[in-house]
Every structure is written in structure tokens, then in C-alpha cells.
């Protein structure tokens, strides 16, 4: 009977001596297809081998995972966000359990974080308070908010456009996206957004083709009819021109 330890040792030695040859063979399409078929036919064995490898090479596996997460930070963040949305209740329950079991650790971490980011936290709190104030104001006194927004939007705009801009700004205030203190400063942004969405003042080229056709807008314009002089000019107009006829 073959000793397993000796057999594995011989395999390791052979792979070390013929590393390039083995890699070239493994990269062949036939070899890849065989491996893919084996993984599909033996999912339990594959999972077991992976568990053994991770247990045996724990540090290397953790380092490789960390490197991958750092190089794909956006993908990891998006995946975490999707998972949290799909398992929100489960994640909240898990967070509560963890906080209850590690309350002292969480308090210590919170104190350290607050000390390092005090100005940022105060700024966020102030912004939150301003948003709450704006939302409460429009809920309890909408007429006053409407007057403030209406006074900020220029009356020189077309009526339909002005009404839409005011409605967008009121909705933004209600959703907490626009503070009452910044209504005057943000009017330009909402007017620009309206123009970008509806192309109110878009300039059309006469040489540009019309949608769905090969015609240009200039092709639909009629050429002006040449003016032909009239023999019977108005005598009063001739007199006003100092007795000078246009045609004589």
C-alpha cells in the first residue's frame, strides 16, 4: 500500500520541478473544460476542498480577499447595499444583538470617532436640524413658504415655466432636499434643470434633419416672392418721399 504522505510529497516535488509545463497544460481548453465539468458534477467535493484550503491557508486567503475588496471597492459597496435592502430586518436584528453584546466596545468606538470627526458630526447635525425645520415649516405654514419661493423665482419667466419651477422647489423643500435659507441661491439650479429637461429655449438648426425623415426644416420654408414694381403708385406716398418715385 502506498504511503499517502510519500505520495503527496512526490506530487509536490513533481509540480515544483515541472511548474511551467503543468501551468501550460492546465490552460489548455480541454483541461479547462474537464475542470469545469468536474466542478459541476461534484459541488460537495469542491466545497469541501475549498474549506480545507481556506483552513490551511487562512492568512493568505484573508490577504487575497482583502486585496480584491480594495481593488473592487465600488462593487463591494453596491453589493452590500443591495444585500442590506433585501435583508433589512435581518441586518437590523443582527446589529442590535451585536450592540447588546459589545455595548462597551461600541461606546468606546463612538467616543473615538466623535473626537476625530467632531466638526463633521456637528455640521451634519446642523444640516439635519435645518432640514427638519424646513419640512416642519412647509407642513404647518405652506402659504408662507409658497410666498418665499414665489418671490425668489423671477416673474420674467414664462408663466408655465415659472409654475413648474416653483412646484419643483416646493417639493424639494418638503422632501428636505432644499433648505428655506437657500431658496434664493438655488433658484438658478432649478431653472437650469427645467431647461435641461424640457429644452424650453433650445435653438433648432434649419439644416438639421427632421425626426424620421430626410427633410430639413429649411426645405419646408417657401422662397419669398420677388417684388414687382407697380405702375400705379400712391401719389400721396410719392409726395411724402419728396416727389421721388421708387421706380423712376
Amino acid at each position: 500500500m502506498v504511503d499517502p504522505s510519500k505520495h503527496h510529497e512526490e506530487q509536490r516535488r513533481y509540480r515544483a520541478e515541472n511548474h511551467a509545463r503543468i501551468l501550460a497544460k492546465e490552460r489548455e481548453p480541454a483541461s479547462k473544460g474537464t475542470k469545469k465539468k468536474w466542478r459541476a458534477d461534484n459541488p460537495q467535493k469542491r466545497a469541501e476542498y475549498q474549506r480545507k484550503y481556506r483552513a490551511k491557508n487562512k492568512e493568505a486567503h484573508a490577504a487575497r480577499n482583502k486585496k480584491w475588496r480594495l481593488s473592487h471597492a465600488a462593487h463591494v459597496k453596491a453589493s452590500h447595499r443591495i444585500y442590506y435592502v433585501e435583508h433589512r430586518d435581518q441586518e437590523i436584528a443582527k446589529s442590535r444583538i451585536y450592540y447588546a453584546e459589545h455595548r462597551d466596545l461600541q461606546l468606546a468606538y463612538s467616543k473615538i470617532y466623535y473626537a476625530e470627526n467632531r466638526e463633521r458630526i456637528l455640521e451634519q447635525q446642523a444640516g439635519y436640524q435645518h432640514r427638519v425645520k424646513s419640512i416642519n415649516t412647509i407642513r404647518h405654514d405652506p402659504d408662507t413658504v409658497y410666498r418665499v419661493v414665489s418671490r425668489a423665482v423671477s416673474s420674467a419667466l414664462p408663466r408655465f415655466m415659472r409654475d413648474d419651477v416653483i412646484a419643483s422647489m416646493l417639493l424639494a423643500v418638503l422632501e428636505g432636499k432644499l433648505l428655506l435659507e437657500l431658496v434664493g441661491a438655488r433658484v438658478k439650479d432649478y431653472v437650469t434643470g427645467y431647461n435641461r429637461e424640457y429644452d424650453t429655449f433650445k435653438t433648432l438648426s434649419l439644416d438639421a434633419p427632421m425626426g424620421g425623415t430626410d427633410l430639413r426644416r429649411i426645405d419646408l420654408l417657401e422662397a419669398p416672392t420677388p417684388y414687382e414694381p407697380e405702375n400705379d403708385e400712391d401719389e400721396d406716398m410719392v409726395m411724402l418721399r419728396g416727389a421721388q418715385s421708387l421706380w423712376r
Side-chain angles (χ1 to χ4, degrees), residues 146 153 157-168 170 194:
Y146 179 84
V153 180
L157 296 174
R159 178 65 180 274
F160 66 92
M161 179 179 177
R162 187 171 184 271
D163 291 343
D164 284 348
V165 172
I166 291 175
S168 300
L170 291 174
Y194 180 90

Side-chain angles (χ1 to χ4, degrees), residues 126-142 145 169-183:
Y128 175 76
Q129 292 174 358
H130 286 305
R131 286 195 298 273
V132 171
K133 181 180 178 181
S134 299
I135 293 173
N136 290 336
T137 303
I138 194 173
R139 284 178 176 175
H140 297 93
D141 194 5
V145 177
M169 296 182 71
L170 291 174
L171 180 61
V173 173
L174 183 61
E175 293 177 347
K177 298 178 181 178
L178 176 62
L179 303 180
L180 289 177
E181 294 82 356
L182 301 178
V183 166

Side-chain angles (χ1 to χ4, degrees), residues 2-245:
V2 180
D3 187 358
S5 60
K6 290 184 178 181
H7 179 67
H8 290 317
E9 182 63 29
E10 291 178 359
Q11 283 185 331
R12 282 194 291 270
R13 181 171 52 80
Y14 177 81
R15 294 183 68 88
E17 294 175 354
N18 302 273
H19 184 66
R21 179 182 175 186
I22 293 172
L23 282 180
K25 186 176 181 180
E26 289 179 348
R27 290 169 181 169
E28 293 178 357
S31 178
K32 290 183 178 180
T34 303
K35 287 185 176 182
K36 187 175 181 180
K37 184 177 182 301
W38 184 90
R39 287 194 293 266
D41 296 340
N42 303 274
Q44 295 180 353
K45 285 187 178 181
R46 181 191 177 192
E48 182 64 24
Y49 290 155
Q50 287 178 340
R51 281 194 294 269
K52 288 182 179 180
Y53 176 81
R54 286 195 294 266
K56 187 177 180 181
N57 304 273
K58 191 174 182 180
E59 295 181 358
H61 183 71
R64 185 164 56 251
N65 283 348
K66 184 178 181 180
K67 182 180 179 181
W68 188 89
R69 287 195 299 269
L70 291 175
S71 59
H72 301 78
H75 177 73
V76 172
K77 188 175 182 179
S79 300
H80 286 175
R81 189 180 296 111
I82 294 173
Y83 181 84
Y84 183 83
V85 171
E86 295 177 351
H87 305 82
R88 188 171 183 273
D89 296 337
Q90 182 180 351
E91 288 296 308
I92 291 176
K94 189 187 300 182
S95 299
R96 288 175 178 172
I97 294 173
Y98 181 84
Y99 183 81
E101 294 177 352
H102 304 83
R103 190 170 184 273
D104 296 337
L105 181 63
Q106 289 293 318
L107 289 176
Y109 174 77
S110 299
K111 290 179 180 178
I112 295 173
Y113 181 82
Y114 183 83
E116 295 177 351
N117 304 273
R118 186 172 183 274
E119 295 181 358
R120 178 184 175 187
I121 293 173
L122 291 177
E123 183 179 352
Q124 291 177 350
Q125 290 177 348
Y128 175 76
Q129 292 174 358
H130 286 305
R131 286 195 298 273
V132 171
K133 181 180 178 181
S134 299
I135 293 173
N136 290 336
T137 303
I138 194 173
R139 284 178 176 175
H140 297 93
D141 194 5
D143 295 337
T144 302
V145 177
Y146 179 84
R147 285 197 301 272
V148 171
V149 176
S150 179
R151 194 181 301 117
V153 180
S154 174
S155 58
L157 296 174
R159 178 65 180 274
F160 66 92
M161 179 179 177
R162 187 171 184 271
D163 291 343
D164 284 348
V165 172
I166 291 175
S168 300
M169 296 182 71
L170 291 174
L171 180 61
V173 173
L174 183 61
E175 293 177 347
K177 298 178 181 178
L178 176 62
L179 303 180
L180 289 177
E181 294 82 356
L182 301 178
V183 166
R186 295 287 306 279
V187 171
K188 184 178 179 181
D189 297 338
Y190 285 88
V191 174
T192 303
Y194 180 90
N195 290 332
R196 187 180 296 112
E197 182 177 0
Y198 296 104
D199 290 334
T200 305
F201 300 109
K202 183 177 180 180
T203 303
L204 300 178
S205 174
L206 294 177
D207 293 326
M210 299 179 64
T213 64
D214 295 332
L215 293 175
R216 300 175 302 169
R217 291 183 175 85
I218 197 172
D219 297 333
L220 303 180
L221 299 178
E222 296 183 359
T225 305
Y227 183 81
E228 297 181 358
E230 299 178 358
N231 295 327
D232 50 345
E233 286 186 297
D234 190 349
E235 296 180 357
D236 295 334
M237 294 300 298
V238 174
M239 183 182 65
L240 291 174
R241 288 195 296 269
Q244 297 293 328
S245 173

